[in-house]
């Protein structure tokens, strides 16, 4: 993974979680990294994060977007994610 962009068009802070998995991740287990996605401040909040040398995931790569930093709670629709991978 070389970069991630996330836009949040809702009025609630949500969390993007990364997982090292070949299957569908269990959202509240084995989280590798958590990135808060700021909420809408009128036209959409968001983040851009780059990893200049890339981040390797040996098994596979999965993501979840949740309402809580611990990986629990469903996120509403309105969070859009774009990943730069090789």
């Amino acid at each position: 993974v070389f970069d991630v962009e996330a836009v949040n068009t809702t009025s609630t802070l949500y969390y993007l979680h990364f997982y090292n998995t070949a299957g569908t991740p269990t959202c509240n287990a084995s989280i590798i990294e958590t990135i808060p996605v700021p909420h809408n401040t009128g036209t959409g909040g968001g983040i851009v994060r780059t990893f200049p040398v890339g981040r390797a995931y040996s098994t596979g790569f999965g993501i979840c977007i949740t309402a809580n930093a611990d990986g629990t709670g469903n996120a509403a629709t309105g969070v859009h994610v774009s990943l730069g991978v090789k």
Side-chain angles (χ1 to χ4, degrees), residues 8-59:
N8 183 354
T9 62
T10 75
S11 60
T12 304
L13 174 68
Y14 288 114
Y15 298 88
L16 173 64
H17 307 282
F18 291 173
Y19 303 84
N20 187 19
T21 181
T24 302
T26 301
C27 290
N28 64 344
S30 303
I31 298 170
I32 299 294
E33 182 167 1
T34 298
I35 301 171
V37 182
H39 59 82
N40 181 353
T41 57
T43 58
I47 59 102
V48 174
R49 193 122 176 236
T50 60
F51 310 107
V53 295
R55 296 229 174 131
Y57 291 82
S58 59
T59 304

Side-chain angles (χ1 to χ4, degrees), residues 41-82:
T41 57
T43 58
I47 59 102
V48 174
R49 193 122 176 236
T50 60
F51 310 107
V53 295
R55 296 229 174 131
Y57 291 82
S58 59
T59 304
F61 183 70
I63 67 169
C64 283
I65 301 169
T66 66
N68 302 305
D70 66 358
T72 62
N74 294 329
T77 59
V79 179
H80 309 276
V81 177
S82 176

